[in-house]
Amino acid sequence: MKALILLLASLLAPSAHSEELAPVTPYRPSVSSPAQLPAAGQLELELGALSASSDGARRHSLPYSLKLALDSEWGLVLGGEGLVWAPLEHGRQRGMGDTQLVLKRAFVLSDDSALGLELGAKAPTARRGIGSGKADYSLNGIVSQDLGALHLDANLNLTRIGAIEAGSGRHQTGISTAFSSALDERWGVTAEWSGSRRRGSASTAQVLLALSYSPSKLVTLDLGVAHGLTSATPHWSVFSGAVLPLARLW
């Protein structure tokens, strides 16, 4: 935590090095992923904290992602949960979460619109009780569009689930729609609906509302809350996080 504070302080302070870095491209705090890529060659880090409540039990995690655009069309995202505190029947379990690698293709149509395609694979790096213990594979289609003062990110995805319950389907469909808008030069707001369906399993759905604050072009901070609309979705979730560049590699 001390190292993160020092890194944020160094980025907020003007320096010759900061002139080499491009503005960050946040993918959080919404479930929806934007079609746009970060600046080519710039390695960006997203860190967060998430606490979710379901039936009186709370699950805490520290999600992260590393983003790198190879050029203006192709990018890679490596992410997951660095640490998870998960409820058990008797007590709690702590450990690393699963890890996901995503290959991303961006189709920039204009300054106002873009399409995206993501191919992802989740590696079961979490211990049993925190993760599923099986690999998942996903395909996600993205539409990003400026609508006047609003920005839209809409996702439609299909996931092949590795670990399934008896009588349930292996393929899950997910959809999410996020609208964001700048309140002024530093503050922004995001509202989103998202959900998923799978045969033989309860559907999920939630609404999310978040505020973002950018003290400089190199840092974006966020804080928000999500409310579950079905019994299979965490009743309430609160989260916060930061997006910042680590280095300009080329």
Side-chain angles (χ1 to χ4, degrees):
M1 180 61 70
K2 182 179 180 181
L4 177 59
I5 294 174
L6 292 175
L7 180 57
L8 286 171
S10 67
L11 288 171
L12 291 173
S15 67
H17 174 67
S18 66
E19 296 177 359
E20 303 172 1
L21 299 172
V24 293
T25 305
Y27 286 6
R28 54 170 302 119
S30 61
V31 174
S32 304
S33 176
Q36 288 80 6
L37 293 168
Q42 180 163 287
L43 180 62
E44 293 186 5
L45 171 66
E46 299 193 354
L47 288 174
L50 171 65
S51 179
S53 174
S54 298
D55 298 325
R58 299 201 67 87
R59 184 182 190 274
H60 311 289
S61 64
L62 301 177
Y64 72 92
S65 64
L66 290 164
K67 315 192 306 281
L68 177 65
L70 307 178
D71 54 28
S72 61
E73 298 180 339
W74 293 94
L76 294 171
V77 182
L78 178 68
E81 294 177 305
L83 193 59
V84 178
W85 291 264
L88 296 174
E89 186 176 354
H90 302 288
R92 302 186 67 83
Q93 183 173 216
R94 183 178 65 181
M96 177 183 177
D98 289 328
T99 303
Q100 184 169 31
L101 177 63
V102 174
L103 175 65
K104 185 163 187 166
R105 174 68 160 90
F107 304 87
V108 179
L109 306 179
S110 68
D111 291 340
D112 299 327
S113 62
L115 303 176
L117 193 63
E118 294 179 332
L119 179 62
K122 187 203 74 176
T125 53
R127 66 176 63 176
R128 190 171 295 276
I130 293 179
S132 66
K134 298 287 186 179
D136 298 340
Y137 302 94
S138 61
L139 182 65
N140 184 39
I142 309 168
V143 176
S144 293
Q145 178 71 49
D146 288 338
L147 305 169
L150 290 176
H151 176 79
L152 164 71
D153 290 315
N155 289 194
L156 178 63
N157 48 70
L158 177 67
T159 303
R160 183 186 186 277
I161 306 294
I164 60 174
E165 307 84 6
S168 63
R170 189 170 293 277
H171 296 95
Q172 175 177 286
T173 56
I175 187 170
S176 60
T177 304
F179 291 93
S180 57
S181 179
L183 300 177
D184 57 27
E185 293 183 355
R186 296 180 183 270
W187 289 94
V189 62
T190 298
E192 179 188 54
W193 177 90
S194 62
S196 66
R197 293 187 64 182
R198 182 161 59 96
R199 180 178 58 82
S201 182
S203 298
T204 69
Q206 71 169 21
V207 289
L208 175 150
L209 183 64
L211 282 173
S212 62
Y213 175 68
S214 300
S216 81
K217 68 176 184 177
L218 301 182
V219 178
T220 296
L221 310 175
D222 62 70
L223 177 67
V225 61
H227 175 55
L229 302 176
T230 71
S231 59
T233 313
H235 188 54
W236 285 102
S237 301
V238 293
F239 55 85
S240 63
V243 185
L244 50 95
L246 291 182
R248 195 67 182 262
L249 302 181
W250 62 81

